[in-house]
Structures are given as C-alpha cells and as structure tokens.
Amino acid sequence: MDEIVTEQAAGILRIQLNRPTKRNAMTSAMYVALADIFNAASKDESTRVVLWHGAGDSFCAGNDIDDFLKTLPGRANRLRLAS
C-alpha cells in the first residue's frame, strides 16, 4: 500500500495520506515525497488546486515517532539514549 496516493484530474491534484491504521502519522520518507509532490505541482501550470487529506477518520496524527527515532540523526539519537 502506498503511504501517499495522488490523483490529478481537471486541474485538481488530490493528495491522500494513506496510513489510516496509524492515523496517517508522517514518516521521514513521506515528508520527502510530499516535498517532491508539492514542488512538481508548483511547476505544473495545469494544477490549479491541491486537496490534501487523510485516509480514514484522521487527517494526520503528526510524526510517526518510531520512524523518526530510527531515521533522524542527531536529536533522535539523544532521545533514544534518554529513554
């Protein structure tokens, strides 16, 4: 299952966070993917509107803490040592 699903039609780009069992919590890879998607949309003259939403009953719970503790250097390592 893709963590981010996009669909474009009639000038509308729909971006769906697709991790409903995790309340669409963001991973570091999702941040990178979203940056790429938004940058591409800003350069695409056919994109007039961007709708950004979450699958299930939540938009986004915030950061996926497990992912961030595993993947981010620096502060994440200090947090891991503190626990």
Side-chain angles (χ1 to χ4, degrees):
M1 170 171 47
D2 293 333
E3 292 181 330
I4 298 175
V5 178
T6 61
E7 176 187 340
Q8 183 150 8
I12 300 170
L13 173 60
R14 294 176 182 271
I15 303 170
Q16 180 184 55
L17 303 178
N18 192 32
R19 298 181 74 212
T21 59
K22 296 284 189 175
R23 297 193 183 268
N24 301 312
M26 298 278 293
T27 64
S28 56
M30 290 172 72
Y31 277 103
V32 171
L34 280 172
D36 291 343
I37 292 166
F38 283 122
N39 283 328
S42 73
K43 296 173 186 168
D44 181 1
E45 291 186 19
S46 68
T47 300
R48 309 301 290 165
V49 175
V50 176
L51 298 176
W52 184 18
H53 60 101
D57 61 358
S58 298
F59 168 64
C60 180
N63 294 335
D64 182 325
I65 300 301
D66 288 335
D67 174 72
F68 276 76
L69 289 175
K70 291 176 190 170
T71 59
L72 290 182
R75 186 165 186 262
N77 289 333
R78 287 192 302 271
L79 289 173
R80 197 176 302 152
L81 293 173
S83 56

